[in-house]
Amino acid sequence: PQGGPKDEQPPKILKETPKNLSTNFINKRILIEFDEYFKLNNEYTEIAISPAQEIPPVYKIKQKSLEIELKDTLEANTTYTINFGNAITDVNESNKLVN
């Protein structure tokens, strides 16, 4: 069997907890749900959190979700940005999630 057309789409984000651009976030866990299974590649070099944290977070894959457990304290009145670089790809074709 042919198996169908080649998958050319990266994983798509279905849900984020907290939502993107949230304010007054005080929890220690971020959860991102995707529409397909994915893998992390070089997460400790590809994923950048700004401003940087002294204690790096822990990244866990749970089925189609990425859990980011923050180990360091978030500073008050500070905007944090997470850039995933090339860390997130789908399992079969390694299509990269961008932006």
Side-chain angles (χ1 to χ4, degrees):
Q2 295 284 332
K6 181 179 178 181
D7 177 13
E8 296 180 356
Q9 299 297 315
K12 292 183 182 101
I13 296 173
L14 298 177
K15 183 178 176 185
E16 300 166 302
T17 306
K19 291 184 179 186
N20 192 19
L21 305 176
S22 292
T23 58
N24 302 316
F25 179 70
I26 57 172
N27 293 334
K28 291 287 190 178
R29 187 170 39 163
I30 299 169
L31 187 65
I32 304 171
E33 296 178 30
F34 294 93
D35 67 336
E36 64 180 303
Y37 291 101
F38 65 96
K39 59 186 174 183
L40 288 177
N41 302 299
N42 305 315
E43 59 268 24
Y44 290 103
T45 56
E46 287 291 331
I47 301 175
I49 298 179
S50 178
Q53 298 193 310
E54 287 186 35
I55 305 169
V58 175
Y59 304 100
K60 297 177 190 172
I61 295 176
K62 294 185 176 181
Q63 298 199 0
K64 296 180 182 179
S65 297
L66 173 62
E67 181 181 299
I68 304 170
E69 185 179 344
L70 302 172
K71 296 294 187 176
D72 207 350
T73 304
L74 298 177
E75 296 180 30
N77 302 318
T78 304
T79 300
Y80 285 84
T81 303
I82 302 175
N83 184 330
F84 291 97
N86 294 319
I88 298 175
T89 61
D90 66 13
V91 173
N92 294 321
E93 301 294 336
S94 295
N95 298 312
K96 297 176 189 172
L97 176 71
V98 293
N99 298 329

